[in-house]
Amino acid sequence: MKSYSLIDGVGITHTFDKVPQRIVSLVPSQTELLVDLGLESKIVGITKFCIHPQHLKSAKCIVGGTKNVNYDKIKALEPDIIICNKEENTLEIVENLRSVCPVWVTDILTVQDNLKMIDDLGKLLDCQVKAEYWISRLSFALSDFKQFTENKSVQKAAYFIWKNPYMVAGSENFINELLKLNHFENVFENQPRYPEIELQQIIKKTDLDLIFLSSEPYPFKEKDALEMMPLVTQAKIRLVDGEMFSWYGSRLLKALVYFKELHLKL
């Protein structure tokens, strides 16, 4: 076949003489997507956080986490492509791995970024038909969900991702995008990324409607909600599935179903 060139999410042009056959994926949500694109047999290495589908961890080589990888293990796998993400993986990891093989880096901030990422992987890994299938399914589900939320009033929300110190989702991330999709106005959208906050900042927001405590990366539990409840009597506190708010790729299809159920419970 002829060589082909593609530009990844951070603007790096990659040229390939053949379709990559041995893939290391360092992003859990993208690992799930690769399986849904029919590429499971080509995946040779994953992180310890790549938990979907469940059987994958026992079938593939675990090369570390998303922020700390075993370079020797990855080299030994002789990958043709390593798939990373600008937020999930560190710049140091990406730069060090470029000496092993091409490193494809995604950057997902919006729903449209997500759809483009799927399209790009379809072209990169020669699975365009599957990619188009997922883009079509997601586009239809998104259209349906927008109709579902069309007449819902906007509610002000804070989305907690960490405790000790407390951290919330600000702007410039996929969580904020999905909050907006749900008609939840992120009260910390004026702050970048994932700011640390004091609970006093929440108490002062007397117009706050909802507080979401995520299951990841910090695993908030019922006891955390009970601790917070006396301080924020003006807002409903809800434990939410962090994967649904932060995982991109094909997971968005399940997330849209989850969001409908969440709205019915609010």
Side-chain angles (χ1 to χ4, degrees):
M1 66 172 290
K2 291 196 306 181
S3 64
Y4 61 102
S5 296
L6 294 167
I7 301 172
D8 71 11
V10 293
I12 305 294
T13 299
H14 300 267
T15 300
F16 300 91
D17 294 324
K18 61 179 183 177
V19 178
Q21 298 298 309
R22 295 178 64 79
I23 304 167
V24 168
S25 175
L26 300 183
V27 184
S29 58
Q30 291 175 180
T31 300
E32 179 181 49
L33 171 62
L34 292 171
V35 172
D36 286 336
L37 291 175
L39 300 169
E40 182 175 343
S41 63
K42 295 184 179 182
I43 299 171
V44 294
I46 60 174
T47 76
K48 61 184 177 181
F49 302 117
C50 295
I51 57 174
H52 299 296
Q54 284 187 335
H55 69 270
L56 216 58
K57 282 181 72 174
S58 60
K60 306 296 180 180
C61 179
I62 307 297
V63 298
T66 54
K67 312 291 187 192
N68 188 3
V69 300
N70 186 315
Y71 294 107
D72 291 334
K73 272 190 176 182
I74 292 175
K75 287 177 187 175
L77 291 171
E78 300 183 342
D80 301 318
I81 188 83
I82 299 168
I83 299 180
C84 291
N85 175 263
K86 183 179 177 181
E87 178 174 299
E88 288 290 316
N89 310 117
T90 66
L91 180 60
E92 180 186 11
I93 285 174
V94 170
E95 292 303 323
N96 285 340
L97 288 175
R98 291 199 194 281
S99 64
V100 177
C101 70
V103 180
W104 183 269
V105 183
T106 65
D107 186 15
I108 316 296
L109 295 180
T110 69
V111 169
Q112 284 307 310
D113 289 341
N114 189 51
L115 297 178
K116 185 178 186 308
M117 181 262 289
I118 296 171
D119 183 57
D120 287 344
L121 289 178
K123 294 170 182 171
L124 171 68
L125 300 168
D126 192 27
C127 54
Q128 290 101 318
V129 173
K130 274 278 192 178
E132 287 168 10
Y133 164 78
W134 275 102
I135 291 168
S136 176
R137 286 189 72 184
L138 286 168
S139 297
F140 179 83
L142 282 162
S143 177
D144 174 70
F145 187 72
K146 286 174 182 176
Q147 285 188 328
F148 173 79
T149 57
E150 192 173 29
N151 297 316
K152 292 191 179 297
S153 58
V154 174
Q155 298 186 77
K156 295 195 174 186
Y159 188 100
F160 282 74
I161 64 162
W162 200 257
K163 183 180 181 181
N164 298 327
Y166 281 113
M167 295 174 69
V168 294
S171 61
E172 302 167 31
N173 55 62
F174 196 57
I175 294 171
N176 187 55
E177 174 81 358
L178 294 192
L179 288 171
K180 287 192 285 188
L181 183 67
N182 278 279
H183 287 203
F184 301 140
E185 180 185 331
N186 183 0
V187 296
F188 291 101
E189 190 177 17
N190 63 334
Q191 298 189 44
R193 311 291 293 149
Y194 303 102
E196 289 185 21
I197 68 157
E198 300 290 338
L199 277 185
Q200 287 298 325
Q201 292 174 255
I202 287 289
I203 296 167
K204 290 176 183 176
K205 294 182 183 296
T206 55
D207 57 348
L208 186 64
D209 300 303
L210 297 163
I211 291 174
F212 294 125
L213 303 181
S214 179
S215 62
E216 65 166 51
Y218 183 88
F220 282 100
K221 298 289 192 294
E222 193 68 39
K223 64 181 177 65
D224 300 301
L226 291 172
E227 282 176 16
M228 197 179 289
M229 207 170 286
L231 303 174
V232 289
T233 53
Q234 78 278 13
K236 296 178 184 174
I237 302 174
R238 294 290 184 269
L239 298 173
V240 293
D241 186 337
E243 291 178 3
M244 299 302 180
F245 277 93
S246 63
W247 282 38
Y248 28 83
S250 47
R251 172 57 54 127
L252 182 58
L253 192 66
K254 293 177 180 176
L256 294 171
V257 175
Y258 174 84
F259 294 152
K260 284 185 177 182
E261 294 171 352
L262 178 62
H263 278 278
L264 295 174
K265 293 174 183 175
L266 292 176

